[in-house]
Amino acid sequence: MRSDAIKKGLERAPHRSLLKAMGYTDEELRRPLVGVGHAHNEIIPGHIHLDKILEAVKTGIRMAGGTPISFATIGVCDGIAMNHQGMKYSLASRELIADSVEIMAQAHPFDALVLIPNCDKITPGMLMAMLRVNIPALMVSGGPMLTGRFRGRDVHLISVFEGVGRVRAGGMSEEELGELEEAACPGCGSCAGMFTANSMNCLTEAVGLGLPGNGTIPAVSAARIRLAKEAGMAVMRLLEKNIRPRDIATRQAFENAMAVDMALGCSTNTVLHVPAIAREAGVELPLATFNEVSRRVPHICSLIPGGPHSLQQLDEAGGVQAVMAELCATQAGLHLEVMTATGQTLGENLKKAKVRDREVIKQVSDPYHAVGGIAVLYGNLAPDGGVVKQSAVSPEMMSHRGPARVYNSEEEAQAAILGGQIRPGEVVVIRYCGPKGGPGMPEMLSPTSAIIGMGLGKSVALLTDGRFSGGTQGACIGHVSPEAAVGGPIALVEEGDEIVVDIPGHALTLSVPEAVLAKRRAAWRPPAPKITTGYLARYARQVTSGSTGAVLSEDR
């Protein structure tokens, strides 16, 4: 066993002595040592209950003959970090999480791993580390939050962000907003809706590194505790068969996950995380691959924020497994021969899958949209691509042209939107917010929610070299690459320039003659770094483009 390096033989007596200092018995040390990496803390609602998931996983490992050993990682709550300096640290935390799990798993040679995340950057960070270390492993998330109830309707975190805009527009009183604030997030779990956290937890299941149910079983359900126990037992089976993450996360498995991404209408942040995770498995997923998958996979689930259905309803309808079973009916189908964390192939797993609600999971022959939930746009404004969640765009905004309103920070744009300075038909441009320029590629949930709250969601487009929350809806194009901080075309846009958004045509065009752009390019100078010390300064120097997953340079 791998753990023999710290527990077997005469020369390991000092190591055993240290392990016994923590109460481990000889019998426990004779068993496989299973690292259980978790992100329990008291600042993220999706993580506040992970101590209970941790104990359930440890129980499962012990039942199957292993010795669980837990360790913790950091985590950032994107909602709490939103719209202030803290958001610059969110995406950047992914790399630290990946590195920290790698360090723990390599410094203490566990025989297997179970990783317990729940929210936005923690899940991809742990998956990156899992594939990097490549010992038998799987993931079990903490599960989604239930929706809240406010005056007879379902609400969630994004309802509160949009409520701020409604108050400013006179459509809601501050007292009503206070009442909504109390009701929107009723308890633990990753925020209710197909936002980034739930998107990544669903895709973990789809790629095969999480058990069936990982993405959709509610956080408060006893089924989530049972799933955690099953995960502890399952990792022991993976260890026995020596099935490793890279045996599961193949090119074919990632293609399956991308198909599920399109069918569910997942967060645009998956376009950052999935290629970064695949890279750790030695699989290259160019940005254009998302368009290729989107063209052949219909959008068959209309989930919050772009639609009416919650993660709980998706779970009741059969969950990710039922969605995958339905996708087998497409002409392209899925790769059913791939291995999964159950120790069985996807095809074997799907024999148990069944769609229980056709309002929530449509037939592929009668989808919500004929194409997938995400589109990548290209053009002279985004030579390396820009990303939009097209399943959350109203029909009248699928094609749009209008004058640019240019802002060099999220704060400037937010003040203009809430101040009533944005008019129907305009295109809000927020730049110098990319991986380097942000730094950290901050999410733009506040301005996008304010646009919706101000009643401009069907008349105003927004584009940025930053990124959007999975809770964003409307004609919002993010990840515009190259970013402004490196002199990308978005840096050359001036107030009043006409911008043409053509989502069906996958095009994003700045209607300015090339000769004019050449003069602007010659006059452009890179801005001074916003942060010059600490981790973010190092991150800004090392991070690559959003079009490549914002991974760190190999030269770091």
Side-chain angles (χ1 to χ4, degrees):
M1 289 189 290
R2 192 170 180 263
S3 62
D4 286 350
I6 59 170
K7 67 182 186 182
K8 193 172 182 179
L10 176 66
E11 294 180 353
R12 295 300 181 259
H15 303 67
R16 292 192 296 272
S17 180
L18 289 169
L19 291 165
K20 288 179 178 180
M22 294 176 282
Y24 292 109
T25 66
D26 284 329
E27 173 58 29
E28 286 176 300
L29 296 181
R30 277 191 286 270
R31 298 179 177 190
L33 303 186
V34 182
V36 187
H38 65 91
H40 170 251
N41 59 51
E42 297 180 348
I43 190 62
I44 306 177
H47 289 207
I48 190 71
H49 66 304
L50 292 190
D51 54 340
K52 298 178 178 61
I53 304 296
L54 169 63
E55 289 308 313
V57 168
K58 289 164 70 175
T59 297
I61 292 169
R62 289 192 184 100
M63 286 193 295
T67 296
I69 301 176
S70 68
F71 62 91
T73 68
I74 63 167
V76 172
C77 177
D78 277 28
I80 295 174
M82 195 70 64
N83 200 28
H84 60 86
Q85 184 81 348
M87 180 43 67
K88 297 179 186 297
Y89 288 84
S90 173
L91 180 60
S93 73
R94 185 188 72 183
E95 315 308 315
L96 283 179
I97 292 162
D99 289 351
S100 66
V101 173
E102 175 194 357
I103 288 168
M104 291 298 290
Q106 300 289 35
H108 315 98
F110 300 119
D111 298 300
L113 284 173
V114 178
L115 300 178
I116 310 172
N118 210 28
C119 291
D120 296 37
K121 310 308 166 298
I122 300 89
T123 296
M126 286 187 171
L127 286 171
M128 290 165 69
M130 182 193 295
L131 287 159
R132 197 180 292 172
V133 175
N134 199 37
I135 60 176
L138 55 70
M139 178 171 285
V140 58
S141 75
M145 185 186 294
L146 299 179
T147 53
R149 293 290 291 174
F150 174 69
R151 300 189 176 184
R153 62 185 178 90
D154 287 341
V155 291
H156 42 82
L157 176 66
I158 310 307
S159 308
V160 187
F161 274 97
E162 292 174 359
V164 175
R166 290 195 175 94
V167 170
R168 290 298 180 91
M172 175 183 277
S173 69
E174 289 192 43
E175 290 73 21
E176 288 174 313
L177 180 59
E179 185 182 338
L180 172 60
E181 174 188 320
E182 295 278 350
C185 298
C188 66
S190 46
C191 293
M194 193 50 75
F195 312 143
T196 304
N198 291 326
S199 294
M200 290 310 305
N201 290 331
C202 286
L203 296 190
T204 297
E205 179 179 342
V207 82
L209 293 172
L211 296 179
N214 181 74
T216 59
I217 296 173
V220 296
S221 172
R224 177 61 57 176
I225 299 297
R226 294 196 296 272
L227 182 72
K229 291 178 182 177
E230 290 165 4
M233 292 185 283
V235 79
M236 297 302 293
R237 294 193 296 271
L238 295 177
L239 176 59
E240 181 182 358
K241 297 178 180 179
N242 195 29
I243 297 172
R244 302 181 181 218
R246 291 185 200 169
D247 298 326
I248 293 171
T250 61
R251 169 75 190 210
Q252 291 74 24
F254 280 108
E255 289 177 1
N256 288 345
M258 294 170 74
V260 172
D261 189 344
M262 298 303 164
L264 293 177
C266 289
S267 163
T268 52
N269 281 315
T270 63
V271 179
L272 283 175
H273 300 317
V274 171
I277 296 163
R279 183 171 175 263
E280 299 289 353
V283 175
E284 292 297 321
L285 291 179
L287 197 60
T289 310
F290 285 86
N291 278 346
E292 295 169 10
V293 177
S294 181
R295 288 188 186 101
R296 63 179 173 82
V297 179
H299 176 225
I300 60 174
C301 297
S302 188
L303 301 162
I304 296 168
H309 299 132
S310 66
L311 266 291
Q312 182 181 2
Q313 289 173 298
L314 177 59
D315 187 63
E316 293 167 354
V320 171
Q321 298 296 299
V323 171
M324 296 184 85
E326 181 60 30
L327 289 181
C328 290
T330 65
Q331 185 176 2
L334 296 177
H335 301 285
L336 298 180
E337 73 285 0
V338 296
M339 181 54 62
T340 72
T342 66
Q344 297 182 306
T345 65
L346 176 63
E348 291 171 316
N349 290 347
L350 293 185
K351 289 177 182 178
K352 304 173 185 177
K354 182 180 180 181
V355 178
R356 300 189 185 95
D357 189 334
R358 282 297 181 187
E359 284 301 309
V360 177
I361 303 174
K362 293 281 195 180
Q363 292 181 313
V364 292
S365 59
D366 181 31
Y368 286 101
H369 301 98
V371 294
I374 289 175
V376 181
L377 313 186
Y378 294 93
N380 69 340
L381 190 48
D384 294 340
V387 182
V388 62
K389 187 172 182 175
Q390 60 183 346
S391 59
V393 179
S394 61
E396 50 267 69
M397 290 299 292
M398 293 295 285
S399 297
H400 178 81
R401 67 173 62 226
R405 301 297 309 279
V406 183
Y407 303 95
N408 290 335
S409 71
E410 179 186 359
E411 293 77 14
E412 292 176 26
Q414 178 78 345
I417 295 165
L418 293 179
Q421 298 175 28
I422 305 302
R423 300 285 180 259
E426 294 179 334
V427 179
V428 176
V429 177
I430 307 177
R431 63 192 182 189
Y432 295 105
C433 295
K436 288 183 178 294
M441 208 176 185
E443 286 186 347
M444 303 290 174
L445 181 55
S446 292
T448 59
S449 297
I451 284 173
I452 298 296
M454 297 286 283
L456 298 170
K458 295 183 178 181
S459 61
V460 168
L462 188 152
L463 61 93
T464 180
D465 52 5
R467 60 194 176 92
F468 296 116
S469 161
T472 294
Q473 56 180 307
C476 299
I477 299 99
H479 311 192
V480 172
S481 301
E483 63 175 292
V486 298
I490 192 173
L492 310 179
V493 181
E494 293 187 358
E495 193 82 5
D497 286 350
E498 184 181 69
I499 292 175
V500 180
V501 177
D502 179 8
I503 296 174
H506 298 94
L508 184 61
T509 306
L510 178 61
S511 297
V512 174
E514 181 53 41
V516 174
L517 292 178
K519 289 181 180 179
R520 294 180 186 177
R521 191 174 292 112
W524 178 84
R525 296 293 179 271
K530 295 175 184 174
I531 294 178
T532 57
T533 61
Y535 174 61
L536 273 185
R538 297 197 305 275
Y539 178 85
R541 290 193 296 270
Q542 297 166 354
V543 71
T544 61
S545 171
S547 64
T548 57
V551 297
L552 298 186
S553 168
E554 294 286 358
D555 299 328
R556 55 178 168 146

